[in-house]
Amino acid sequence: MKVSSTERASHEISTSDPGAEGSYSCLYSIETFRRAIQSRESGTVSISVTDPPPVPSITLSPHYTVYIRGEPVTVTCITSTEHTPFNFRFFKKTGGQSMEVSSTERASHEISTSDPGAEGSYSCLYSIETFRRAIQSRESGTASISVTGERNAAYTAKFNMLNEEMCA
């Protein structure tokens, strides 16, 4: 005679199903003496379903096609969500490799083009808190930074050219 037993049953719910949101409970039945006896219904658990946050866009300020080495660039992650983002992550892609360059509470990240590794395509994503959990957006498109020359060399060349014109 079996006195006690522990059985588990599970049911998978697809959150892509519009009817998935709601309260769920369970019960079980056993057969004894050729008779089915049903348990009481369990307490309920609630499932809330929400869409992921909108995909952000990314901008560069100032916006140039090519930056002169030494110029500062600000990368900004722009969101359009009703929730306040609490974390922004910035990524740099170079040669097929993606690397996180910053994780911060601010929507902007400063890049120094003096850094030889500044060139690349930048993207971002952000996280919001809803239903007492963090939900991350998908990654934005990319904004590219290309760097050329030396900042001081460009100014020196212009100064020398003006100086030569004045002395001639």
Side-chain angles (χ1 to χ4, degrees):
M1 180 172 150
K2 206 177 210 182
V3 178
S4 72
S5 123
T6 303
E7 296 285 331
R8 283 199 144 174
S10 61
H11 176 72
E12 189 171 306
I13 299 165
S14 172
T15 56
S16 60
D17 175 6
E21 193 165 331
S23 296
Y24 292 84
S25 63
C26 66
L27 53 83
Y28 65 93
S29 61
I30 59 171
E31 188 174 315
T32 184
F33 301 108
R34 294 189 206 149
R35 180 174 165 212
I37 301 172
Q38 202 170 54
S39 71
R40 292 189 181 139
E41 193 171 328
S42 71
T44 60
V45 293
S46 294
I47 294 178
S48 297
V49 179
T50 187
D51 290 324
V55 176
S57 57
I58 192 160
T59 62
L60 300 176
S61 179
H63 181 72
Y64 301 127
T65 35
V66 176
Y67 294 86
I68 298 169
R69 190 160 309 283
E71 287 182 314
V73 184
T74 302
V75 181
T76 303
C77 194
I78 299 171
T79 65
S80 60
T81 178
E82 61 199 48
H83 303 280
T84 303
F86 70 88
N87 179 261
F88 294 88
R89 295 172 63 198
F90 293 89
F91 301 91
K92 184 178 91 169
K93 293 179 175 87
T94 319
Q97 299 258 336
S98 184
M99 179 178 84
E100 185 173 336
V101 293
S102 175
S103 180
T104 178
E105 294 174 357
R106 295 185 31 209
S108 296
H109 174 66
E110 301 292 325
I111 296 176
S112 170
T113 59
S114 297
D115 178 358
E119 288 190 303
S121 295
Y122 290 81
S123 62
C124 68
L125 57 80
Y126 64 98
S127 298
I128 61 168
E129 186 173 328
T130 184
F131 298 109
R132 291 182 294 192
R133 71 176 274 205
I135 300 176
Q136 191 169 275
S137 73
R138 289 189 303 271
E139 201 169 327
S140 71
T142 59
S144 294
I145 294 178
S146 296
V147 181
T148 187
E150 290 291 328
R151 183 178 195 180
N152 294 341
Y155 290 124
T156 302
K158 188 169 186 171
F159 174 77
N160 286 341
M161 204 167 80
L162 287 172
N163 197 19
E164 285 173 17
E165 287 175 10
M166 292 176 135
C167 293

